[in-house]
Amino acid sequence: MDNISRAKLEALNNPKVMEYVEEAIKLCRPAKVTVITDSEEDNNYIRELALKNKEETPLNLEGHTVHFDSPLDQARDKANTKYLLSKEVDWGLNINYILKDEGLPEIRSFLDGIMEGKEMLISFFCLGPTNSPFSLPAMQITDSAYVTHSEKILYRSGYEEFKRLEGSDDFFYFLHSAGRLVNNVTADIDKRRIYIDLEENRVYTVNNQYAGNSVGLKKLAFRLAIQKAQREGWLAEHMFLMGVKGKPGRTTYFTGAFPSACGKTSTAMLPGQSIVGDDIAYLRKIDGQIRAVNVEKGIFGIIQDVNPADDPLIYEALTTPREVIFSNVLVNEGTPYWLGMGQEPPAKGINFSGEWYKGKKDEKGNEIPFASKNARYTIAISELDNADPNLNEPQGVPVKAIVYGGRDSYTTVPVAESLTWEHGVFLGATVESETTAATIGKEGVRTHDPMANKDFISVPLATYLENHIKFASGLKEVPTIFATNYFLKNHEGKYLNGKLDKLIWILWAEGRVNGDYEALETPIGRIPKYADLKALFKEHLDYDYTEKEYNEQFSIRIAKYLEKMDRMTKAFSHIKLPEAFAAEMEAQIKRLEEAKATYGDIATPDKFQK
Ligand code: SPV
Ligand code: MN
């Protein structure tokens, strides 16, 4: 470490920072150590280092670079992501853990000397806006300039925030190494490990580059934050945060939780609306209101299907000069190509498999797609024209509506408003979703995903639910909770909705929150009236929405909902549910059974006309 870096560290006056740094240097034995502050000079150093190290390659447009991960490292590795625990716990969740006696020596042995000949980068960030009641400082140590560069785009710099800590050890710490690289990608994937120590607020992650595995501040910090939130009485959620524009001049802030790759980013990026965040939000009660911030300041978004028709705003941002890291796309003559971009890709180029040509096969004889299904882009929200002006507001924005959505082909309606806050918590906790390419494993398997957060909940499920129910107490204004489903199909397996229809559901919800629309009360919640949707479709999508479409989409599939309730009863059978939650479940089943007795397996919306 040179004198400049040493001075930067010493200026923080933080014994815990020093202890972690010394320990990491001793363990990883880097050839060089560099400390990164909030300065533009340091930011440039990282951008250039990522190119120099060949972790990124420049593309034609200014500010655009591409990064590749190993073909085996292009999604979150759930199997090797584990909590490090001193003793076993029973949280009523299917968590993956390893006892510290076993896990610490293992991961330390993988980290031993792993940075020999490499440069260690020490950076400081702040989760949430700086200098705010939401701020959580975090220190990242890594040998990857790509990881640091991604974090510089995605998070607020926090070197000054660490000074504000005045020596306190209340911060998160992440140690990462991409490990041995061959052709610039992690070679020892069999030794990929991601171990999260909830007791010490620190994470070790090794032999990976995919940002969901490597970027400490994203899903790894999120797990630490959920536990901290639980202890301190706030919420850390897998949620977007957006400003929805109803009537002219009116902005209503929404948060929404959706499982990975189920439309969360594209909701937050809906045309005509403003984005605060697309992935993780912290919610606190301030002066009788729920207020929320985006933990991040950038987007690590799925690029598949970003095209001028479905995602015009992101498409524009990704095809004009500005700072963007593309990952796992196809590159031909300095231009990136991805799946579903609305354009034929060239027949050859460079992708995650190296030189790629149409028809290229992997070792198993399977054809290699030209780009990964989980290919991504990394961009600062401030680069977008639709960035919300309150993105960095230290007090956050007031939340008026919360949306929970899953990927459910056969059961739930496109949008429904909960009957009460508790019913809304129930709707969130019973989200089911079919698995996607965002995690390693089989796609299309129906899974129960409470609050779209099952991969990240780091506290007992019953306590987590109770915390949600209690969160509305003492509020002057209680937000309205909605459930959405963008993926409903008909009996022939055909999607019933276009990709932009979500705009209509969100605008309807915004109108409901502000008292613009009446609704039909059904056993599963309140649903829109046909005439209101027809007007919204016409005005915003210039589409003649028919009553036939409405009836098919909004019929209550009572028998299917009852099957879902059977699955939910089983899913919760092993835990002692909070009383209010158990009562919601019972009431929901009863309403559905009564409806079944009256209407049979399915009820068209007109049945609920008063
Ligand atoms: C998700 O998978 O939910 C993401 C991307 O937001 S990752 O960083 O992989 O978590
Ligand atoms: Mn996510």
Side-chain angles (χ1 to χ4, degrees):
M1 189 176 338
D2 64 15
N3 288 340
I4 298 174
S5 279
R6 189 173 305 280
K8 285 174 179 172
L9 268 191
E10 279 167 2
L12 294 178
N13 238 325
N14 193 307
K16 196 75 190 178
V17 166
M18 287 305 191
E19 181 192 318
Y20 282 150
V21 169
E22 276 161 25
E23 192 189 291
I25 292 174
K26 213 168 133 205
L27 179 63
C28 305
R29 298 194 295 278
K32 181 180 175 190
V33 180
T34 305
V35 175
I36 304 295
T37 67
D38 304 346
S39 74
E40 197 46 31
E41 188 188 340
D42 286 3
N43 205 351
N44 279 331
Y45 179 80
I46 291 299
R47 290 186 185 111
E48 280 158 26
L49 188 64
L51 298 177
K52 196 177 117 203
N53 289 351
K54 299 206 160 51
E55 293 176 82
E56 293 172 36
T57 314
L59 296 171
N60 290 344
L61 292 182
E62 194 179 341
H64 288 203
T65 60
V66 63
H67 162 83
F68 293 111
D69 301 308
S70 153
L72 302 172
D73 185 34
Q74 302 194 346
R76 277 188 279 114
D77 178 2
K78 295 209 293 185
N80 285 306
T81 302
K82 299 181 185 176
Y83 293 114
L84 278 170
L85 299 175
S86 356
K87 58 175 190 329
E88 288 184 33
V89 295
D90 180 7
W91 290 345
L93 285 158
N94 199 2
I95 60 156
N96 206 357
Y97 69 90
I98 185 163
L99 291 177
K100 281 189 183 175
D101 290 347
E102 188 189 340
L104 273 176
E106 182 198 20
I107 198 136
R108 289 223 166 102
S109 76
F110 291 174
L111 285 161
D112 191 18
I114 202 163
M115 296 188 192
E116 276 170 10
K118 290 187 169 189
E119 179 168 351
M120 172 186 277
L121 301 163
I122 304 175
S123 330
F124 301 89
F125 295 96
C126 181
L127 297 161
T130 52
N131 218 351
S132 121
F134 295 90
S135 306
L136 282 184
M139 173 166 80
Q140 171 81 61
I141 298 186
T142 175
D143 55 14
S144 166
Y146 160 70
V147 166
T148 311
H149 183 199
S150 300
E151 291 179 329
K152 282 284 184 190
I153 296 174
L154 293 171
Y155 302 92
R156 286 113 178 160
S157 271
Y159 180 76
E160 294 302 319
E161 197 66 31
F162 265 75
K163 288 189 183 161
R164 275 192 279 278
L165 270 177
E166 294 180 346
S168 154
D169 63 1
D170 192 10
F171 62 87
F172 293 167
Y173 166 46
F174 308 96
L175 175 59
H176 166 258
S177 172
R180 193 168 62 88
L181 301 182
V182 173
N183 295 329
N184 310 314
V185 302
T186 297
D188 301 316
I189 298 288
D190 57 319
K191 290 192 182 137
R192 175 172 55 204
R193 298 290 184 276
I194 301 143
Y195 287 176
I196 302 160
D197 186 339
L198 293 168
E199 294 154 12
E200 293 198 24
N201 279 332
R202 64 194 276 179
V203 177
Y204 310 79
T205 168
V206 59
N207 291 314
N208 62 67
Q209 291 167 300
Y210 171 69
N213 298 321
S214 63
V215 167
L217 285 95
K218 205 168 185 55
K219 291 310 194 310
L220 310 177
F222 183 40
R223 292 169 167 94
L224 302 181
I226 288 177
Q227 188 163 97
K228 191 171 167 66
Q230 182 70 52
R231 270 197 312 269
E232 299 173 358
W234 48 281
L235 298 179
E237 296 299 316
H238 195 201
M239 284 177 169
F240 71 67
L241 186 54
M242 71 187 289
V244 182
K245 320 283 175 183
K247 297 217 166 115
R250 187 170 78 195
T251 299
T252 310
Y253 286 100
F254 276 51
T255 66
F258 295 64
S260 305
C262 290
K264 191 149 55 92
T265 304
S266 53
T267 304
M269 288 291 291
L270 277 168
Q273 322 305 313
S274 58
I275 179 168
V276 185
D278 86 314
D279 198 30
I280 305 168
Y282 293 163
L283 288 72
R284 283 179 182 266
K285 289 197 267 192
I286 298 178
D287 295 335
Q289 269 186 331
I290 294 183
R291 299 189 71 95
V293 295
N294 180 7
V295 172
E296 314 180 283
K297 69 165 179 70
I299 300 179
F300 175 61
I302 294 176
I303 201 165
Q304 178 172 357
D305 293 335
V306 171
N307 58 57
D310 297 327
D311 276 306
L313 297 169
I314 306 180
Y315 188 84
E316 166 70 18
L318 297 184
T319 48
T320 43
R322 65 192 78 221
E323 186 171 27
V324 184
I325 310 174
F326 293 83
S327 62
N328 305 323
V329 294
L330 175 73
V331 177
N332 179 287
E333 298 190 358
T335 301
Y337 296 87
W338 55 90
L339 297 160
M341 75 187 291
Q343 189 180 325
E344 264 308 297
K348 63 181 174 38
I350 306 286
N351 78 355
F352 58 81
S353 74
E355 291 278 351
W356 177 88
Y357 47 88
K358 209 177 165 123
K360 184 176 178 184
K361 300 216 164 73
D362 64 17
E363 297 98 70
K364 290 190 190 129
N366 298 320
E367 195 159 318
I368 302 173
F370 72 88
S372 165
K373 284 178 102 169
N374 198 29
R376 301 234 173 195
Y377 58 90
T378 303
I379 193 171
I381 291 174
S382 59
E383 291 288 351
L384 304 171
D385 293 340
N386 57 325
D388 188 271
N390 293 317
L391 171 62
N392 294 312
E393 168 58 44
Q395 296 295 311
V397 295
V399 175
K400 295 280 166 65
I402 298 176
V403 182
Y404 291 106
R407 177 183 287 267
D408 177 345
S409 309
Y410 302 112
T411 313
T412 60
V413 291
V415 63
E417 176 189 302
S418 63
L419 301 169
T420 57
W421 171 266
E422 290 77 12
H423 182 235
V425 172
F426 173 79
L427 293 180
T430 52
V431 164
E432 288 185 300
S433 202
E434 292 143 25
T435 50
T436 67
T439 56
I440 295 171
K442 196 167 163 352
E443 286 176 49
V445 181
R446 181 185 276 270
T447 50
H448 173 214
D449 196 350
M451 276 71 182
N453 216 357
K454 89 170 157 34
D455 288 353
F456 314 110
I457 297 175
S458 53
V459 296
L461 181 57
T463 334
Y464 177 79
L465 296 175
E466 184 147 27
N467 204 26
H468 271 263
I469 290 179
K470 281 200 312 223
F471 202 57
S473 69
L475 289 178
K476 282 188 252 163
E477 279 172 62
V478 178
T480 310
I481 300 179
F482 296 86
T484 59
N485 175 22
Y486 304 156
F487 302 94
L488 193 62
K489 292 178 177 170
N490 66 11
H491 57 273
E492 286 157 0
K494 191 174 156 292
Y495 283 115
L496 289 176
N497 288 105
K499 285 197 179 145
L500 273 178
D501 292 6
K502 52 173 91 74
L503 175 63
I504 305 305
W505 318 143
I506 295 294
L507 287 172
W508 177 77
E510 198 274 349
R512 275 295 292 169
V513 171
N514 290 290
D516 295 351
Y517 304 122
E518 289 181 351
L520 302 177
E521 187 156 329
T522 83
I524 52 89
R526 301 187 189 98
I527 61 170
K529 290 187 159 181
Y530 170 63
D532 296 326
L533 292 183
K534 180 179 155 78
L536 282 167
F537 268 103
K538 190 70 201 168
E539 183 185 343
H540 296 275
L541 299 179
D542 192 24
Y543 181 75
D544 291 309
Y545 185 62
T546 67
E547 194 149 13
K548 184 165 174 275
E549 288 170 296
Y550 169 75
N551 282 332
E552 190 165 21
Q553 293 163 16
F554 285 91
S555 281
I556 309 299
R557 303 178 183 199
I558 299 169
K560 289 277 181 230
Y561 270 101
L562 275 166
E563 284 169 23
K564 172 171 174 172
M565 290 308 119
D566 279 345
R567 291 193 295 274
M568 291 303 109
T569 307
K570 279 199 198 84
F572 289 113
S573 62
H574 60 297
I575 61 169
K576 179 154 175 17
L577 286 170
E579 244 167 66
F581 190 88
E584 260 338 298
M585 177 100 130
E586 207 176 297
Q588 179 66 86
I589 293 171
K590 187 156 170 271
R591 285 194 302 272
L592 282 164
E593 278 170 349
E594 282 167 8
K596 182 159 162 109
T598 316
Y599 309 113
D601 282 352
I602 208 164
T604 45
D606 58 296
K607 303 287 188 315
F608 305 101
Q609 202 90 41
K610 283 223 184 72

